[in-house]
Every structure is written in structure tokens, then in C-alpha cells.
Amino acid sequence: MAIRLGRAAWVLVMAVALPLAGCVATDDSANGGGSKERATAAIEAARAYQQAQLDHDWEAACEARTERLRRSWGMDTIAECIEVTTAPKPGDNSDVRVSTSEAIEVPAFGPHPAGIGLGMTVDSGQSTWVTQVALRLVPDEHGTWLVDQVINLIETDSTDTKAVRTELERE
């Protein structure tokens, strides 16, 4: 029971922080960027994931994560992920702006396969609501892009592709 409560508290913190997180990156020349179609599909998947977080659509958010990411957060199934992350919607997010950076190819790192890295910015128009994240998206066996890594960019003021790549290869 204590483990579930701890997981629920952690997920609640992430549920509040992730929808308000993001990073903007502009230079993908280091790795060539990849095909425009891959980048577009990854960006669309990242935006859908972020919107599901903002809308508290936990089923869509949980389904947009890889099994590896869910398990690293202590959730073995999508049903358990939904159960742990279900929380009342704290308010209207209709004025929140979500922007994505330029997509970059990122190599495999640790348990994470190679994929597309990008930053996201979620801005409510209030300085306390701007946060930054770097996301690693990887295609599953059906070609659906899923979020495999989420890194909050708290300790860096830089939001370029170099910062996104650095964080995704460090954690």
C-alpha cells in the first residue's frame, strides 16, 4: 500500500509538471536530423502526448508511453498506469500554449533505443507555469511513435538541440 501511495504521489507530481514542461531547440545539424516524415510523425505524437497530459486523458497518456517507461515509473500495465495517475482536473488549460522544437535524431543510450529527440515548451502565460522537457520518441513494432524518455530541463537555461541531446544522453 505504501509503495502504491508513493507511486501515486510521484505520478501526481509528474502529471502536474509534465503538462507544464517543454524545451525549444533549433539546431539539428549535428546528426543530420532524419527524414521529414519521421520528424513530423514524432512531433505529432509528442504533441498528442502533451495534450493528453493537459486534458488529464490518462488512458491516452499511458498508451503514448513505452512499456519500458511505464515500468521504470513502477506501472506494469496501462490499467495500472491509469489507476495511479487518475486525478481530478485542477483547472482549465485552454489558454496554455504548447510548442515543440525541431526534431533531431538521437542515438541509443542505456536502455533507450535510437529515436527522435525534441524539446517541448508549455507556457500558460505566467512565468511560474513555463517548464521545459526533452522527450525521446521511438517507434513501436507498428510504427506508432511512443514517448520512451522524459527529462525535465530544470538545471539548464539552454533550450537548443544541443541541450536536448545532452540531457537525453545523460539520463
Side-chain angles (χ1 to χ4, degrees), residues 98-113:
V98 176
S99 60
T100 59
S101 71
E102 196 170 328
I104 56 171
E105 296 283 335
V106 290
F109 181 79
H112 306 289

Side-chain angles (χ1 to χ4, degrees), residues 13-21 49-50 53 73 122 133 150 152:
V13 167
M14 291 302 290
V16 171
L18 286 177
L20 305 175
Y49 170 74
Q50 198 67 56
Q53 294 279 343
W73 289 353
V122 180
V133 294
V150 179
N152 287 322

Side-chain angles (χ1 to χ4, degrees), residues 45 63-67 136-140 144-148:
E63 289 175 350
R65 298 173 184 145
T66 61
E67 182 178 347
R136 175 187 301 263
L137 290 103
V138 298
D140 68 5
T144 302
W145 287 89
L146 301 173
V147 176
D148 190 66

Side-chain angles (χ1 to χ4, degrees), residues 14-110:
M14 291 302 290
V16 171
L18 286 177
L20 305 175
C23 134
V24 177
T26 58
D27 178 20
D28 72 339
S29 59
N31 276 350
S35 77
K36 200 167 193 84
E37 294 80 21
R38 280 175 47 93
T40 299
I43 289 169
E44 288 175 10
R47 290 182 70 81
Y49 170 74
Q50 198 67 56
Q51 192 62 53
Q53 294 279 343
L54 289 169
D55 294 344
H56 292 240
D57 181 352
W58 303 124
E59 183 174 2
C62 290
E63 289 175 350
R65 298 173 184 145
T66 61
E67 182 178 347
R68 177 182 24 266
L69 179 59
R70 284 194 318 272
R71 286 182 188 258
S72 75
W73 289 353
M75 297 170 252
D76 292 333
T77 65
I78 289 177
E80 186 176 357
C81 177
I82 294 167
E83 177 186 337
V84 171
T85 58
T86 300
K89 191 172 181 178
D92 179 25
N93 292 320
S94 60
D95 61 341
V96 174
R97 293 180 310 272
V98 176
S99 60
T100 59
S101 71
E102 196 170 328
I104 56 171
E105 296 283 335
V106 290
F109 181 79

Side-chain angles (χ1 to χ4, degrees), residues 146-165:
L146 301 173
V147 176
D148 190 66
Q149 189 179 15
V150 179
I151 305 293
N152 287 322
L153 298 174
I154 297 170
E155 297 180 17
T156 179
D157 290 332
S158 178
T159 57
D160 61 12
T161 55
K162 199 177 275 188
V164 170
R165 185 182 318 285

